[in-house]
Amino acid sequence: MLEIDTSTRLWDLAEQRAARDGSAEMLVDERGRRLTFAEFRDHAERMAETLSARGVGPGTPVTWRLPTVVEALVVTCALARLGAVQNPVMPICGERELRFILARTGAELFITAEGQLGLDEAWRADRLITDRPGLDALVVAAQGQPSRRTAPNSAGPDDDVRWIFFTSGTTADPKGARHTDASVLAAAQSMAVRLDCTKADRVGLAFPIAHIGGCGIWLGAALICGCTLVLDAAFEPERTSRFFHAEEVTLAGSGAVFIQAYLALQRQQPDTPLFPKLRAMTAGGSARPITLHADTKRAFGVPVLSGYGMTEAPVLAMAGPHDPDDTLHATEGRPKPDVHLRIVAPDGRVLGAGEEGEIRAKGPQVMPGYLDASLTRDVFDEDGYLRTGDLGMLDERGYLTVTGRLKDIIIRKGENISARTLEDALASHQAVADVAVVGLPDAGRGELACAVVVPRGNAPTLADLTAFLADQGLPPRQWPERLETVDILPRNATGKILKTELRERYST
């Protein structure tokens, strides 16, 4: 149940929750550190004072690169307190990409962590500020319990841009999506409502906290609903699952790759629940195997609650615990009433229920635009809807099914083949643990379809897979011509398969 006014700023939510539930536990990390909502507010006050002394105030561009630990959320809230424009970047962000981002945002301060994930961050920070005149750096360590202090007031309404989140940049330079507190908190509220989050929930988070789903949406959800966030800086399936078991998490997952790892562990101990208090797994950020919900229901007795969104517009749709199995199996749930989705044909026609086209979106969580204004002009249509670049359909009940990417189409002899459709079909083969389908250059056909498979047990042959596809009713024109087997598919920090890497690997 939502108890707090979300039409406000992030810092205001922190103050309201601390006043309401100050002694309740808000954060736990794998180092055993725990903060209540009141302690979190106090840590953020102390950090805001430190940052203010470094010249941070309303509108100051600040880039931070921190792992999934308590300090990351303290820094997030402190920057919100001061009204800075914060730019979180992933811990795996390389130096070349980091330099691009610092230059693009005009960052005046770079905040990083001391001794995290084996990185010599102090050295990196020193080198960055030496190369960029006007850039300051702050290397943070674990904070002690502070006394309450007063930091300067933040300025500006909640519709001022206060966040810049960069897209993954796997195919080109990353794009900076600009967000306000209002757009981030609208996404947090959408997710919290759909998941029925309450104070009793303990949420296991092992994905990068710098993702908009972490420092933006889950932090916002914790402040809105009073739930506890259980943080793990480095996902290691066995250790992470023991940690989450001990902390009695009620929600886990966060993405298909994490759920698949938990499934593998649960199958090794079928009589001992991995997470005894679990009520649901959550998924988002990347495509999921078509069998994931059924496999999870069978192993854990709980549903997979999947959501759809992107950095530019998070949580456009979300499944809920009361949705029927047929929708949880194949859809990404429904949008809230204030979110408007439409499916659009290549010629611009708005399509009806069950028809496939590009997903376009309008709602309070949609970004105002990119940092590069020229990119903004191309991403919104004439009616103000965001062009997502994703293909999908809405059914008559309003449930959204994502069927692929506009650019993830293999064109063979002039005919379009959906990589997502083929992946979903192959994923249900008993010898396939994971799969990606990519188009490779071919002189005679333009492109050929290559299935890259992680086997489960004995590796299938191409003949095995095509016979299976025939039994499923897929016509030969949709079958792959090539099969490659790998131990693991390359993924980015949020679980998305790096298809560009696969295309480069197998195009020679």
Side-chain angles (χ1 to χ4, degrees):
M1 182 176 68
L2 303 183
E3 301 175 334
I4 283 181
D5 177 15
T6 58
S7 59
T8 185
R9 296 172 301 180
L10 181 69
W11 174 252
D12 296 329
L13 291 185
E15 289 271 51
Q16 291 175 44
R17 182 54 67 186
R20 182 184 291 270
D21 293 302
S23 62
E25 189 170 73
M26 176 186 174
L27 300 177
V28 183
D29 71 17
E30 86 282 1
R31 287 187 275 172
R33 296 179 300 163
R34 300 175 186 273
L35 290 183
T36 66
F37 285 98
E39 289 167 343
F40 175 74
R41 174 203 56 199
D42 292 347
H43 275 73
E45 284 274 21
R46 180 178 178 178
M47 179 60 72
E49 185 179 63
T50 299
L51 295 173
S52 178
R54 303 291 284 261
V56 177
T60 304
V62 177
T63 293
W64 60 261
R65 183 180 185 271
L66 299 165
T68 305
V69 292
V70 165
E71 288 77 33
L73 296 181
V74 169
V75 165
T76 298
C77 204
L79 291 169
R81 172 80 167 97
L82 296 171
V85 179
Q86 58 182 303
N87 162 226
V89 296
M90 305 284 195
I92 64 164
C93 177
E95 191 162 329
R96 177 185 174 279
E97 188 176 16
L98 182 57
R99 289 179 182 278
F100 171 85
I101 288 171
L102 289 169
R104 193 70 192 84
T105 62
E108 296 177 16
L109 179 66
F110 173 56
I111 304 174
T112 189
E114 185 178 64
Q116 296 292 342
L117 306 183
L119 300 174
D120 187 354
E121 287 298 312
W123 173 84
R124 184 192 295 267
D126 285 344
R127 191 164 72 180
L128 286 170
I129 63 174
T130 299
D131 294 348
R132 283 191 55 78
L135 176 66
D136 192 8
L138 175 65
V139 180
V140 300
Q143 300 293 312
Q145 296 294 329
S147 58
R148 183 77 187 275
R149 301 188 184 184
T150 301
N153 287 325
S154 60
D158 61 3
D159 58 354
D160 283 349
V161 169
R162 293 293 179 228
W163 309 77
I164 301 172
F165 292 97
F166 278 83
T167 58
S168 57
T170 55
T171 58
D173 283 333
K175 295 178 287 187
R178 301 158 66 243
H179 275 282
T180 66
D181 273 6
S183 62
V184 169
L185 293 176
Q189 184 182 30
S190 286
M191 184 185 70
V193 168
R194 282 285 183 245
L195 296 180
D196 285 351
C197 283
T198 71
K199 296 177 185 178
D201 279 313
R202 299 178 66 81
V203 185
L205 299 181
F207 70 93
I209 202 70
H211 188 274
I212 192 170
C215 63
I217 295 169
W218 270 117
L219 174 57
L223 297 175
I224 289 168
C225 300
C227 60
T228 303
L229 305 183
V230 182
L231 310 176
D232 195 351
F235 179 65
E236 299 167 359
E238 292 189 9
R239 183 194 56 77
T240 299
S241 65
R242 289 195 300 271
F243 172 44
F244 287 174
H245 177 104
E247 291 297 330
E248 300 185 331
V249 299
T250 62
L251 295 169
S254 304
V257 67
F258 301 98
I259 298 174
Q260 288 171 307
Y262 297 141
L263 279 169
L265 290 172
Q266 185 63 72
R267 288 175 180 133
Q268 295 172 18
Q269 51 176 64
D271 298 326
T272 305
L274 204 63
F275 307 125
K277 303 286 188 177
L278 194 70
R279 69 176 181 88
M281 290 283 194
T282 61
S286 63
R288 59 193 169 103
I290 195 68
T291 61
L292 191 64
H293 170 67
D295 291 344
T296 302
K297 198 80 177 286
R298 190 178 306 115
F300 292 100
V302 303
V304 172
L305 305 181
S306 185
Y308 169 72
M310 60 205 67
T311 302
E312 294 88 339
V315 198
L316 290 169
M318 190 84 207
H322 307 297
D323 286 336
D325 274 339
D326 68 313
T327 65
L328 296 176
H329 171 72
T331 81
E332 311 303 318
R334 294 173 296 169
K336 281 183 66 220
D338 58 354
V339 177
H340 304 285
L341 301 182
R342 59 169 51 166
I343 308 299
V344 179
D347 62 6
R349 289 181 299 111
V350 178
L351 300 173
E355 295 184 284
E356 183 187 59
E358 184 187 17
I359 304 167
R360 297 189 185 179
K362 184 185 288 188
Q365 65 267 66
V366 176
M367 66 170 185
Y370 289 115
L371 204 54
D372 184 339
S374 66
L375 298 174
T376 302
R377 289 193 295 271
D378 295 333
V379 79
F380 290 98
D381 67 18
E382 60 277 6
D383 294 327
Y385 279 76
L386 179 77
R387 305 175 193 265
T388 68
D390 289 319
L391 291 169
M393 61 184 73
L394 290 164
D395 68 16
E396 63 281 354
R397 298 168 295 176
Y399 287 91
L400 175 71
T401 299
V402 179
T403 57
R405 289 282 297 167
L406 278 172
K407 295 181 180 178
D408 200 11
I409 297 293
I410 300 162
I411 304 176
R412 181 170 56 197
K413 293 183 177 179
E415 194 165 5
N416 290 349
I417 300 167
S418 167
R420 175 70 179 272
T421 298
L422 191 48
E423 288 164 351
D424 283 347
L426 292 171
S428 58
H429 191 288
Q430 62 181 4
V432 175
D434 205 359
V435 61
V437 174
V438 295
L440 302 180
D442 182 81
R445 289 163 284 197
E447 284 186 301
L448 62 82
C450 175
V452 185
V453 167
V454 178
R456 179 182 289 122
N458 294 328
T461 66
L462 183 60
D464 293 334
L465 295 182
T466 54
F468 177 75
L469 294 173
D471 288 342
Q472 290 206 324
L474 265 71
R477 61 183 176 80
Q478 293 187 23
W479 298 352
E481 294 99 336
R482 181 171 165 183
L483 170 66
E484 299 288 345
T485 58
V486 295
D487 293 331
I488 189 170
L489 292 174
R491 297 177 183 269
N492 68 11
T494 60
K496 290 182 180 178
I497 297 171
L498 300 176
K499 290 195 172 184
T500 301
E501 185 175 318
L502 293 175
R503 291 187 189 97
E504 291 173 355
R505 185 187 304 177
Y506 297 117
S507 289
T508 55

